[in-house]
Amino acid sequence: MRRLRNVKIVATLGPASSDYKTIRALFEAGADVFRLNMSHGSHAEQQARYEIIRQIEADTGRPIAVLADLQGPKLRVGTFAAGAADLEEGNQFRFDLDPAEGDGHRVCLPHPEIFAALEPGARLLVNDGKIRMKVQNCGADFADCIVTTGGTISNRKGVNVPDVLLPLAALSEKDRKDLEFACGLGVDWLALSFVQRPEDVTEARALAKGRAAILSKIEKPAAERAFDEILKVSDGIMVARGDLGVELPVEAVPPIQKRLIRKCRAAAKPVIVATQMLESMIESPVPTRAEVSDVATAIYEGADAIMLSAESAAGRYPVEAVTTMNAVARSVESDLTYREVIEASRSVQRKTVADGIVAAAREIAESTDISAICCYTQTGKTVHLIARERPRVPIIALSPETVALRRLCLSWGVHTVHSNEVERFKMAVVNAARAARDYGFADEANQIVVVAGVPFNVQGTTNILRVAPCDERLIFRTDPE
């Protein structure tokens, strides 16, 4: 029988992975979702990659999800007369709105929103936190700081402001244009950067108009503090550990990662763990042992997906990176400890009929000889509930809605199958049995669990569970109409 890898792999496309041959190789190596990073590349380049993905989808007959990752506002210093300046610990340094070139004492920070939010004691981090300063005095157009960690500050380096809620929208003008472009292409997920509050997510959702699901990137302390509210209005979450590790102490990131994964699972919303998972494979054909352990940890914690960034977009070994991630995932998921950890972390409040049905489906599958749980869905919501249970058997999602199937490519343990609309439950069972056999999850001697809603093709009607044989003759002989 075929064994499905449960955790999904997200591969970022870029200069190292822009042609049909490479993207097809990434898909065959195990990539389930392709990420288009809107911070890099033109719209024409992104469109070409998108069209290749859809060609591969057509050629293989398997739905593929596309995630467009919006850049978000970029806060940067201005320029220096000498191109750079060396700052030592204890030095005084000023940020202001004066566009004149900077020196070792001051530089322009062309973001009045930062000055409006700053207060004495707040930290300013430059160049991914390599240079750190603390605000001593500030006003509407300046901030006098003391350098707490020195280094070389140079032209247009990025600035992080971790201690205050900035009065900045998550969507810049560029993001709005990129969002409309990506939705016009037909991407399945939009990743929203610089999220600080739930209103950032609802603004993006209003612009998307249902054309793409919204995934919130948790990369700022404000987002971590407001996470419960952000999760409620998001369709999924990305734990973006790079920026999070700049603005928070690095030792704070692992417990945050674990906590956010558990909350996402309880809410039945997919969660991606991202950033530097196999960073050394940008240049090396093999990862470090620590990187392998990092990937394994995310899988043990129950993440829906793990992500490659520069490794697959710009690295020398993009296919090898996906192959490695796939191998690590299969190794972890075959470990008995994995099931113990996953099942010990199951904590769900049963509030609806659908909650009860998917829990029963999982319990039946684990206590009897069941080969797969098959679910008919219009929107994917019931499939997310099944995935939350983390069953020991594969989840087969059947739907006539291609959009729903593509979005489900991000969800733990789900194999997606396009199905024609059905009007009778008997035919739903027959189609589910055929899918289980056709994709190698069962044979005629096996049984499956079928979850569906009657009447069919109506959202939110999950109300029926059937244990069925995979032998169609037995289905026609015994099942009700």
Side-chain angles (χ1 to χ4, degrees):
M1 294 297 175
R2 179 179 176 184
R3 180 169 177 79
L4 181 71
R5 169 175 39 81
N6 291 316
V7 71
K8 301 303 179 69
I9 295 174
V10 182
T12 304
L13 300 184
S17 49
S18 290
D19 60 282
Y20 181 96
K21 181 180 178 181
T22 304
I23 298 174
R24 175 73 181 258
L26 292 173
F27 176 72
E28 292 179 346
D32 303 283
V33 181
F34 287 108
R35 172 176 173 254
L36 304 179
N37 187 355
M38 305 308 291
S39 299
H40 305 288
S42 66
H43 282 184
E45 289 171 327
Q46 302 292 18
Q47 181 170 351
R49 292 165 187 153
Y50 179 85
E51 290 172 353
I52 290 172
I53 295 166
R54 291 299 176 229
Q55 184 60 55
I56 293 170
E57 183 180 65
D59 292 345
T60 60
R62 286 175 53 193
I64 302 173
V66 180
L67 166 68
D69 196 329
L70 303 177
Q71 177 178 282
K74 290 299 177 184
L75 308 177
R76 301 185 184 279
V77 300
T79 59
F80 291 82
D86 293 326
L87 304 180
E88 296 183 1
E89 183 179 339
N91 282 4
Q92 299 290 322
F93 194 80
R94 168 175 280 214
F95 295 96
D96 55 41
L97 294 176
D98 184 351
E101 291 186 317
D103 53 29
H105 303 287
R106 63 155 295 277
V107 74
C108 179
L109 182 58
H111 301 286
E113 303 93 341
I114 293 180
F115 297 114
L118 282 179
E119 53 191 33
R123 292 171 296 157
L124 287 172
L125 314 179
V126 183
N127 193 15
D128 290 335
K130 295 180 177 66
I131 299 172
R132 294 171 176 261
M133 306 187 197
K134 182 172 286 188
V135 177
Q136 293 184 306
N137 188 27
C138 55
D141 58 357
F142 76 96
D144 289 327
C145 306
I146 186 168
V147 178
T148 57
T149 302
T152 300
I153 182 172
S154 55
N155 294 342
R156 299 185 178 88
K157 288 301 181 184
V159 177
N160 294 79
V161 191
D163 300 325
V164 296
L165 186 68
L166 293 174
L168 278 171
L171 293 168
S172 65
E173 189 58 36
K174 168 180 164 53
D175 294 322
R176 292 171 180 271
K177 293 177 181 177
D178 288 344
L179 183 152
E180 188 58 36
F181 165 75
C183 287
L185 274 184
V187 304
D188 308 293
W189 288 87
L190 284 169
L192 185 61
S193 300
F194 211 86
V195 174
Q196 298 185 96
R197 54 182 81 80
E199 291 79 8
D200 294 331
V201 186
T202 55
E203 179 186 8
R205 187 179 299 283
L207 293 171
K209 300 175 183 175
R211 293 172 291 174
I214 306 297
L215 187 144
S216 296
K217 295 169 66 175
I218 306 303
E219 54 189 358
K220 298 188 71 60
E224 193 267 331
R225 291 192 294 268
F227 182 73
D228 291 348
E229 292 73 25
I230 290 170
L231 179 60
K232 288 177 184 177
V233 296
S234 303
D235 299 305
I237 294 293
M238 181 190 295
V239 185
R241 305 176 304 173
D243 283 317
L244 202 57
V246 170
E247 300 206 1
L248 287 168
V250 291
E251 65 272 16
V253 175
I256 289 173
Q257 173 179 312
K258 184 182 291 289
R259 187 163 63 250
L260 299 193
I261 290 173
R262 290 202 175 190
K263 287 188 175 185
C264 289
R265 181 176 168 191
K269 294 184 178 181
V271 55
I272 304 171
V273 175
T275 320
Q276 298 178 328
M277 300 212 81
L278 296 176
E279 185 86 354
S280 68
M281 290 194 76
I282 296 172
E283 298 293 340
S284 170
V286 294
T288 67
R289 309 305 187 267
E291 288 168 341
V292 170
S293 182
D294 180 43
V295 172
T297 296
I299 298 169
Y300 277 114
E301 289 173 346
D304 287 81
I306 45 182
M307 193 175 97
L308 295 166
S309 299
E311 302 97 326
S312 58
R316 296 174 61 187
Y317 303 97
V319 177
E320 290 85 350
V322 174
T323 301
T324 298
M325 199 166 253
N326 181 65
V328 173
R330 288 183 177 275
S331 176
V332 169
E333 291 178 358
S334 64
D335 177 23
L336 292 177
T337 305
Y338 171 73
R339 287 306 322 175
E340 292 175 3
V341 172
I342 287 295
E343 291 171 11
S345 61
R346 183 185 296 124
S347 177
V348 181
Q349 293 183 345
R350 314 292 180 198
K351 296 180 179 180
T352 67
V353 172
D355 289 337
I357 285 179
V358 299
R362 189 258 307 160
E363 290 180 3
I364 291 169
E366 292 179 358
S367 59
T368 58
D369 188 19
I370 298 295
S371 297
I373 298 174
C374 302
C375 178
Y376 271 84
T377 185
Q378 286 288 311
T379 63
K381 184 175 180 180
T382 303
V383 180
H384 287 309
L385 294 177
I386 298 173
R388 177 177 68 184
E389 296 289 327
R390 301 295 192 258
R392 297 185 185 186
V393 300
I395 304 165
I396 302 177
L398 300 102
S399 179
E401 302 294 336
T402 301
V403 169
L405 294 175
R406 288 172 174 167
R407 292 180 185 177
L408 284 167
C409 292
L410 190 58
S411 293
W412 186 98
V414 177
H415 182 87
T416 54
V417 177
H418 190 274
S419 173
N420 294 328
E421 291 189 0
V422 293
E423 300 296 334
R424 295 185 301 156
F425 183 64
K426 178 181 285 188
M427 288 312 301
V429 175
V430 168
N431 286 352
R434 288 174 182 171
R437 296 197 314 270
D438 290 347
Y439 288 93
F441 294 114
D443 57 33
E444 287 192 342
N446 299 128
Q447 290 184 306
I448 56 174
V449 170
V450 182
V451 175
V454 177
F456 279 101
N457 309 317
V458 177
Q459 296 181 20
T461 59
T462 302
N463 56 12
I464 193 166
L465 181 155
R466 169 78 164 95
V467 177
C470 287
D471 187 335
E472 290 181 34
R473 294 165 297 183
L474 295 177
I475 297 172
F476 281 109
R477 188 181 308 160
T478 61
D479 268 38
E481 291 297 317

